[in-house]
C-alpha cells in the first residue's frame, strides 16, 4: 500500500533548525528560564515565524538606484498583500507593550 500524503500539511514550512533557533528553543523550554527569559525567547520565535511567513510571499525582481547612483538588483512583493504591514506593526507594538509591562 502506498503511503498517503496528509494534504493538510502540504503547505507547512518549518523553521530551519539553525544553532540560533535551537538556542532560542532551548532557553524557551528550560525550567531554569525565568519569566523575562521565557518572554524574550517567545518573542524571538514569534519574530522568526513572522519573517518566514513573509518570506513565503511572492516576490519579483526590482532594480533601484542607490544614493551613490549605483544600480541595486533587489526584490519587491509581486502585489500588495493585505495584513503584512499590520502584522509587522502589531508584532512591534506587542514587543514594546511587553517591555513597558515588566
Amino acid at each position: 500500500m502506498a503511503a498517503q500524503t496528509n494534504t493538510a500539511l502540504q503547505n507547512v514550512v518549518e523553521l530551519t533548525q539553525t544553532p540560533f533557533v535551537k538556542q532560542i528553543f532551548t532557553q524557551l523550554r528550560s525550567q531554569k528560564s525565568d519569566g523575562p527569559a521565557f518572554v524574550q525567547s517567545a518573542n524571538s520565535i514569534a519574530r522568526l515565524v513572522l519573517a518566514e511567513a513573509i518570506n513565503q510571499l511572492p516576490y519579483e525582481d526590482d532594480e533601484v538606484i542607490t544614493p551613490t547612483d549605483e544600480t541595486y538588483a533587489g526584490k519587491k512583493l509581486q502585489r500588495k498583500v493585505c495584513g503584512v504591514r499590520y502584522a509587522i506593526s502589531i508584532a512591534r507594538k506587542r514587543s514594546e507593550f511587553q517591555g513597558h509591562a515588566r
Side-chain angles (χ1 to χ4, degrees):
M1 178 179 248
Q4 293 181 344
T5 302
N6 186 344
T7 56
L9 299 178
Q10 68 186 2
N11 293 325
V12 172
V13 176
E14 292 183 20
L15 288 177
T16 303
Q17 294 294 304
T18 64
F20 176 64
V21 170
K22 295 285 279 186
Q23 181 267 323
I24 295 170
F25 273 107
T26 300
Q27 186 173 7
L28 183 72
R29 293 174 178 226
S30 175
Q31 66 180 1
K32 295 178 184 177
S33 291
D34 58 7
F38 181 87
V39 169
Q40 179 184 7
S41 298
N43 285 338
S44 294
I45 293 297
R47 280 191 294 274
L48 290 171
V49 168
L50 179 61
E52 185 56 39
I54 293 169
N55 242 356
Q56 298 302 312
L57 297 173
Y59 290 87
E60 61 187 25
D61 293 337
D62 188 28
E63 285 191 355
V64 296
I65 305 299
T66 70
T68 58
D69 288 326
E70 299 293 325
T71 301
Y72 176 77
K75 297 282 185 184
K76 68 177 179 180
L77 283 171
Q78 285 182 356
R79 60 185 179 279
K80 290 186 178 184
V81 179
C82 177
V84 170
R85 182 178 301 150
Y86 301 113
I88 294 169
S89 178
I90 289 168
R92 286 182 183 151
K93 290 296 179 189
R94 180 177 154 250
S95 196
E96 291 172 16
F97 173 75
Q98 287 177 338
H100 294 299
R102 286 190 205 129

